[in-house]
Amino acid sequence: MRYSKQRELVMQQVEALQDHPTAEEIYENAVKQCPGLSLGTVYRNLNSLVEAGRIRRVPIPGQADRFDHTLRWHSHLYCTECGEVSDVMLDGTMLQGLLKDQQAEIKDCVMTLLGRCPRCVGAAEQKAAPVQPEE
Amino acid sequence: MRYSKQRELVMQQVEALQDHPTAEEIYENAVKQCPGLSLGTVYRNLNSLVEAGRIRRVPIPGQADRFDHTLRWHSHLYCTECGEVSDVMLDGTMLQGLLKDQQAEIKDCVMTLLGRCPRCVGAAEQKAAPVQPEE
DNA sequence: CTTATTGCAAAACGTTTGCAGGTTT
DNA sequence: AAACCTGCAAACGTTTTGCAATAAG
């Protein structure tokens, strides 16, 4: 990955705006320091930074993705009242307690695991070729 | 909620297609039994069925929402290889073990909790009026 | 008869992409 | 000079919406 002023600026903004900004918010702040910057470039750079593992993507169901400078594993609480997204430190054993938490009022939990299903893992073991490989 | 042929058909399809269908897939199957049905109507009915608690929405990051007839709490595994979405029975204490599961290979976990953050819960307790209430 | 629901088409939304020109190495 | 990166604008896929017509209670 080659250096670019725009990418470093995007990286800086994700670090500066600690409140899980959207691409749009990052753009609005970054364009002040780099007039002419385009939203498309912000999206492209967010994608490469996520791919490079320098930032994390935080998908909020039904809304624009948000981005997070914190790399360590954690969940997010989207407040259905004020719309704020806050960090929730969570490592498995804490989940059960969390769901009964007194402070936050958890109404629902949207969790999607990404990985390979048992069928694909099994297929790879046996033939080193996956079931229905795609793009 | 008034009865409608289209809504019951959508409900039927979500129950029949157990593999977490998208709105598009539900439409393609339903239109066979109801020529002239429109995709907009399918979306509208999926929304009211979710709101009524008769079905569940399953958001897959970066993809179209899927829908699920199972109401009890569970997570979903989106296989990054074959694209299939399967159910994962999961109740807190199982999470830690699951993340080290031998069968499925979990690469990432996208979890968003929905609820009210401590600030909003606190505000409601004190003044019975929330911080920045919205729609 | 009143009002929810429909089909249609247009638009909204977040995001990606093709291209021609500019920047980095 | 080669490859990458940019701005711009157009296009994308998913979902929502305004409207006049239809169907349910």
Side-chain angles (χ1 to χ4, degrees), chain B residues 72-131:
Chain B
R72 75 181 174 291
W73 200 83
H74 64 288
S75 295
H76 295 94
L77 172 60
Y78 171 72
C79 180
T80 50
E81 211 151 284
C82 70
E84 203 176 88
V85 174
S86 45
D87 289 343
V88 174
M89 288 312 132
L90 181 66
D91 67 2
T93 48
M94 292 173 61
L95 181 63
Q96 199 171 38
L98 180 84
L99 291 173
K100 295 171 192 159
D101 197 323
Q102 304 297 335
Q103 303 179 74
E105 184 184 294
I106 312 297
K107 294 180 177 174
D108 202 353
C109 172
V110 180
M111 183 181 217
T112 307
L113 304 169
L114 304 177
R116 297 196 305 153
C117 66
R119 191 158 59 92
C120 285
V121 171
E125 268 168 22
Q126 294 185 344
K127 336 184 310 161
V131 175

Side-chain angles (χ1 to χ4, degrees), chain B residues 33-78:
Chain B
Q33 280 158 259
C34 176
L37 175 68
S38 84
L39 183 55
T41 296
V42 171
Y43 273 106
R44 266 188 291 231
N45 281 325
L46 286 170
N47 285 343
S48 33
L49 289 169
V50 167
E51 206 168 344
R54 296 182 59 192
I55 63 176
R56 262 176 167 275
R57 183 189 304 273
V58 182
I60 309 290
Q63 300 201 13
D65 283 355
R66 291 157 180 269
F67 296 88
D68 195 337
H69 66 114
T70 302
L71 295 177
R72 75 181 174 291
W73 200 83
H74 64 288
S75 295
H76 295 94
L77 172 60
Y78 171 72

